Amino acid sequence: MTAATHSTLFPQVPDSADAVLEGLDPEQREVATALHGPVCVLAGAGTGKTRAITHRIAYGVRAGILQPSSVLAVTFTNRAAGEMRGRLRQLGAHGVQARTFHSAALRQLQYFWPKAIGGAMPRLVDRKIQLVADAAAACRIRLDRGELRDVTAEIEWAKVTQTVPADYALAAAKAGREAPRDPAEVAQVYSLYEDLKRERAVIDFEDVLLLTVGILQDRRDIAEQVRAQYQHFVVDEYQDVSPLQQRLLELWLGERDNLCVVGDASQTIYSFTGATPDHLLDFRVRHPGATVVKLVRDYRSTPQVVHLANALLAQARGRAADHRLELVSQRPAGPEPVFTEHTDEVAEAEDAARRIHDLIASGVPASEIAVLFRTNSQSETYEQALADAGVPYQLRGAERFFDRPEVREAGIALRGAARFGGNDSLLDDAPDLPSQVRAVLSGKGWTPQPPAGSGAVRERWESLAALVNLAQDFAAAHPGATLGDLVAELDERAGAQHAPTVQGVTLASLHSAKGLEWDVVFLVGVAEGMIPISYARTDEQIEEERRLLYVGVTRARERLYVSWSLCRSPGGRPNRRPSRFLDGLRPGSPAVAARGTAGASGGVERGHGSVAGTGGAATGPHAVPRRTRRVPARCRVCGRTLTDAGEMKLMRCDDCPSDMDEGLYERLRAWRQEQARRSGQPAFCVFTDRTLMAIAEAVPDDERELARIPGVTMRKLRRHGADVLAICAGREPGGDGAAD
């Protein structure tokens, strides 16, 4: 789920510009107050980039520095644009345009077409695959279903990289692309596809950008009119910009430099569509005076999840890896990631379904759990396993919430009740807004208890239940609100595509999970041939697969389960092995030395002509000191380099012999349980099992020896050091420190 829908509560609009800045960390505040000139925000996963840029826009608007109608914020998906509009609305920044590149360009193209071209604008086709099929047939080239999809993707890539059909073969070879058919055949289909569009008077989504670029290049008067309208630009997910989108952005800007870009090269996972992180990494080359702000404080994930994510990127190579950000978790400790091997995919799915069933039974909402896989074809096995376990689920990438038939029907019913509710007997015994919504939706299939099983009936109920929950939160935030007020809220949310939470475990591909987060994530099928995918052969393709796994890891807030299977079907030949990306990270795997440079720390770099991310200590009053590079940890028994978080705490491999004092370990566990009971926090917030094991193996004599044990922070040393040392010395603990 998105951060915007993590809670359906309705926050109060800040009462002043300064109030907009409250709650931001020093680096986020730097972003929010840097309102002039070029600004580049390098934002790691979970560091609050959307929060920073929406507060930047809202602060500028509320302070009177930015005119709302002069700001254009662009991103890459309707969902992300809707989330941005929703947040800006909550911050009191009305009138700001937040759109995708395509929707912003389409509005301009529709407006200027009569003036620039004349006549009616061609019809926009939603899906180009049928046109591609017709073009292939006209060329007498037979394409199966998979080839048709892949040739369509090649045409899209060619257009966003501004490659004409005659140049396709050479451009594809230069880019290292493996064409689904002979490049000459792809070029032939591409050429005839363009001819068919002209004959049928239609355009595709890529044409929207190409035509807008063409008009702005050729018609200076129109370009100046657009530039007079928009004077401040914000671009989210800048690492995903294609050459065509970058050209459009340059034409929007003209000679000005009021541009703020936000991105993370380590989350570049769409290069197959023409996206490239070069525009992000070269920002200071194009704008030497730019301010660069690095966000590395991770508010999403526990230290255990963050450690795994950092370790995964530490093995990466290439230009994006040279600019990686080392995240620093701001959350309390959580459980270690769980790595599991299975005999086959069915067993892997059944184990995940059992664990999910138990998590839901323990109180974890189904909507806070996700199963992420590399390809959509893996979904069916997990759908069946979850259905067999009686666990509700939803497929990511399916129909948008406000487009669902039951949601549209519910909206009509609520609007009718708001208008004529005084004559509706259903509402006679409904004294408040939530009970009125429940009464209206009961006629559409909502019941207090969910229906048994899964499928269409359950999905319909989940949609209606989401509206009921939204009504409860809305009423709590707005006492005295009426059905009419709720209907107006739903209309605004529909326009922003700001959907309420739907209960159900999310099934999604790693690509479609980008930008989302859950309390619990199951990363499944993490085996060679699946991730990295079998057709990833070049170094660049392999590194993109690593970044894709990194995106998956960083979706988890608290619990992370990583699994793989040795074969596809029960009884099959066990010829698979875990993904190479897990080497050195999962228990028992061979160590892999970290490559490249240490990750960049957070802070602010003022414009002075250096290349972004390549040097320069953090400066300014809010700078975060650069972290020193750590010396590799080695097993004290066999000397092997340790990368697993649990092994690093023990300072030995899991399978090396332990010299732990079992009696001491049990006394420490009993003491920890009492500390947790007093503080009302989970036991691992005092010390994790691994840290207690490390203490029981080391048996420290003084604070200096205790402080050397990973997991014993200075804060915990001050709070619990005396007790732990007393227990190690065989004495009764005397303090009563509280848990972190």
Side-chain angles (χ1 to χ4, degrees):
M1 66 166 34
T2 66
T5 58
H6 176 44
S7 171
T8 52
L9 297 177
F10 296 79
Q12 296 297 312
V13 175
D15 58 10
S16 66
D18 288 340
V20 171
L21 301 177
E22 292 176 4
L24 300 181
D25 68 30
E27 292 78 34
Q28 291 171 344
R29 184 177 286 251
E30 287 282 356
V31 175
T33 54
L35 295 173
H36 300 288
V39 178
C40 179
V41 184
L42 302 176
T47 56
K49 68 177 179 63
T50 306
R51 176 180 174 84
I53 59 175
T54 51
H55 281 68
R56 177 184 190 271
I57 295 170
Y59 175 71
V61 169
R62 299 290 298 277
I65 300 170
L66 303 179
Q67 291 299 314
S69 60
S70 73
V71 180
L72 178 60
V74 288
T75 187
F76 286 83
T77 66
N78 287 320
R79 178 198 55 76
E83 177 183 337
M84 195 177 291
R85 288 194 294 271
R87 291 199 187 193
L88 289 170
R89 181 162 64 96
Q90 292 168 354
L91 293 169
H94 300 280
V96 174
Q97 293 292 310
R99 298 186 173 277
T100 65
F101 269 101
H102 282 90
S103 67
L106 181 59
R107 279 171 62 92
Q108 293 175 18
L109 189 63
Q110 290 169 330
Y111 184 81
F112 290 112
W113 186 275
K115 180 177 180 180
I117 310 296
M121 194 179 105
R123 180 175 61 87
L124 178 64
V125 292
D126 290 333
R127 299 176 72 249
K128 61 174 68 68
I129 199 162
Q130 185 56 55
L131 268 173
V132 175
D134 293 346
C139 296
R140 300 183 184 278
I141 296 174
R142 294 177 60 87
L143 300 176
D144 62 30
R145 187 175 179 181
E147 288 174 328
L148 181 60
R149 183 184 64 245
D150 292 343
V151 168
T152 302
E154 284 301 292
I155 291 173
E156 291 174 350
W157 172 82
K159 297 185 74 167
V160 300
T161 55
Q162 302 175 80
T163 302
V164 298
D167 297 336
Y168 167 76
L170 183 61
K174 186 177 179 180
R177 295 181 75 84
E178 291 191 16
R181 293 289 292 257
D182 182 279
E185 290 183 327
V186 175
Q188 188 179 0
V189 174
Y190 177 17
S191 179
L192 196 56
Y193 167 78
E194 292 296 311
D195 291 341
L196 284 178
K197 286 197 289 110
R198 282 189 289 272
E199 289 175 12
R200 300 178 186 182
V202 297
I203 59 174
D204 60 26
F205 277 100
E206 289 72 41
D207 290 329
V208 170
L209 299 181
L210 285 163
L211 289 166
T212 305
V213 164
I215 288 174
L216 295 177
Q217 285 180 159
D218 296 343
R219 292 290 300 267
R220 183 177 180 84
D221 57 329
I222 292 176
E224 291 303 324
Q225 191 173 342
V226 172
R227 291 167 192 160
Q229 170 72 47
Y230 297 116
Q231 284 135 37
H232 300 271
F233 297 86
V234 177
V235 184
D236 193 13
E237 304 288 3
Y238 194 54
Q239 77 278 352
D240 292 332
V241 166
S242 71
L244 180 57
Q245 290 164 331
Q246 175 65 21
R247 180 60 185 144
L248 178 60
L249 179 62
E250 291 167 355
L251 288 166
W252 282 341
L253 274 168
E255 299 300 318
R256 301 164 302 170
D257 64 358
N258 278 328
L259 170 66
C260 175
V261 301
V262 190
D264 178 10
S266 296
Q267 296 188 70
T268 305
I269 59 173
Y270 295 108
S271 66
F272 60 90
T273 67
T276 170
D278 290 346
H279 304 300
L280 174 68
L281 299 178
D282 292 337
F283 191 81
R284 281 275 282 269
V285 175
R286 298 192 310 278
H287 303 281
T291 296
V292 176
V293 185
K294 297 174 184 176
L295 305 182
V296 297
R297 303 175 198 248
D298 188 318
Y299 298 96
R300 175 187 299 160
S301 305
T302 63
Q304 286 73 13
V305 173
V306 167
H307 175 80
L308 179 61
N310 285 338
L312 182 62
L313 284 189
Q315 301 176 6
R317 65 178 70 191
R319 192 175 185 217
D322 292 341
H323 293 266
R324 66 184 176 86
L325 300 167
E326 185 170 354
L327 302 178
V328 182
S329 176
Q330 307 297 301
R331 296 197 57 187
E336 296 287 348
V338 176
F339 297 87
T340 313
E341 181 172 279
H342 299 277
T343 56
D344 54 69
E345 289 183 5
V346 173
E348 185 180 1
E350 289 176 346
D351 181 69
R354 280 194 299 271
R355 292 177 187 267
I356 291 170
H357 182 276
D358 292 344
L359 285 166
I360 294 173
S362 71
V364 179
S367 60
E368 290 296 351
I369 304 173
V371 179
L372 306 182
F373 32 74
R374 176 61 178 84
T375 67
N376 288 319
S377 62
Q378 296 168 269
S379 171
E380 185 177 354
T381 304
Y382 289 88
E383 291 179 56
Q384 186 63 54
L386 291 172
D388 291 344
V391 174
Y393 64 85
Q394 56 177 330
L395 287 172
R396 178 71 194 166
E399 199 170 26
R400 293 191 296 187
F401 181 82
F402 288 104
D403 291 337
R404 298 176 186 176
E406 65 270 19
V407 175
R408 291 201 302 268
E409 292 171 13
I412 293 170
L414 290 171
R415 187 170 285 104
R419 187 174 300 174
F420 306 112
N423 300 319
D424 193 337
S425 59
L426 273 176
L427 303 183
D428 289 346
D429 298 322
D432 55 21
L433 177 59
S435 60
Q436 291 169 4
V437 172
R438 288 193 292 268
V440 172
L441 297 188
S442 63
K444 297 297 176 182
W446 179 83
T447 56
Q449 296 300 320
S454 56
V457 174
R458 177 64 184 242
E459 289 178 5
R460 180 182 179 87
W461 183 90
E462 295 287 0
S463 298
L464 298 177
L467 293 175
V468 170
N469 293 334
L470 182 73
Q472 292 171 341
D473 290 341
F474 186 74
H478 301 89
T482 65
L483 265 177
D485 297 328
L486 178 64
V487 167
E489 173 67 22
L490 289 175
D491 287 342
E492 285 202 46
R493 282 177 167 250
Q497 284 300 322
H498 180 189
T501 301
V502 177
Q503 290 299 321
V505 173
T506 299
L507 297 178
S509 70
L510 288 166
H511 281 103
S512 64
K514 177 77 169 64
L516 307 178
E517 59 187 69
W518 297 268
D519 285 346
V520 184
V521 168
F522 287 78
L523 289 177
V524 300
V526 188
E528 284 292 306
M530 193 57 72
I531 185 161
I533 200 77
S534 57
Y535 52 76
R537 295 186 177 90
T538 67
D539 288 344
E540 291 81 5
Q541 290 168 339
I542 295 295
E543 287 307 315
E544 180 143 339
E545 293 288 302
R546 188 194 305 277
R547 294 194 295 269
L548 188 57
L549 183 59
Y550 171 80
V551 166
V553 168
T554 55
R555 300 310 95 195
R557 296 193 194 105
E558 297 173 4
R559 296 177 181 269
L560 179 64
Y561 297 85
V562 183
S563 64
W564 60 92
S565 55
L566 299 178
C567 65
R568 181 174 183 179
S569 304
R573 186 177 178 183
N575 56 2
R576 290 180 177 173
R577 64 174 294 269
S579 170
R580 72 190 74 173
F581 300 144
L582 300 182
D583 289 349
L585 306 182
R586 61 184 176 86
S589 62
V592 178
R595 305 186 183 107
T597 58
S601 62
V604 183
E605 295 176 9
R606 306 297 178 188
H608 49 67
S610 65
V611 179
T614 58
T619 60
H622 303 304
V624 177
R626 184 174 296 279
R627 294 161 64 89
T628 57
R629 195 172 181 185
R630 296 176 181 173
V631 176
R634 298 188 182 277
C635 174
R636 54 188 167 84
V637 179
C638 70
R640 180 175 72 83
T641 300
L642 303 176
T643 55
D644 176 75
E647 293 182 338
M648 290 173 70
K649 282 188 177 181
L650 296 177
M651 293 305 292
R652 65 168 175 81
C653 305
D654 271 332
D655 50 4
C656 281
S658 170
D659 53 358
M660 182 177 71
D661 183 332
E662 297 284 352
L664 173 57
Y665 177 64
E666 291 304 321
R667 291 196 298 276
L668 287 168
R669 280 173 55 87
W671 166 82
R672 181 184 66 174
Q673 191 62 36
E674 177 60 21
Q675 295 297 315
R677 184 191 64 78
R678 291 182 183 181
S679 65
Q681 295 188 19
F684 65 76
C685 290
V686 183
F687 286 118
T688 65
D689 286 345
R690 291 275 187 170
T691 302
L692 293 187
M693 290 174 67
I695 294 170
E697 290 185 359
V699 194
D701 290 326
D702 53 36
E703 286 192 353
R704 179 172 296 181
E705 291 183 8
L706 180 58
R708 290 197 189 105
I709 297 173
V712 181
T713 63
M714 291 304 297
R715 186 165 49 180
K716 291 190 177 185
L717 185 66
R718 288 194 295 269
R719 293 187 178 186
H720 304 307
D723 279 5
V724 170
L725 290 172
I727 295 170
C728 289
R731 303 191 304 271
E732 287 295 318
D736 84 330
D740 269 351

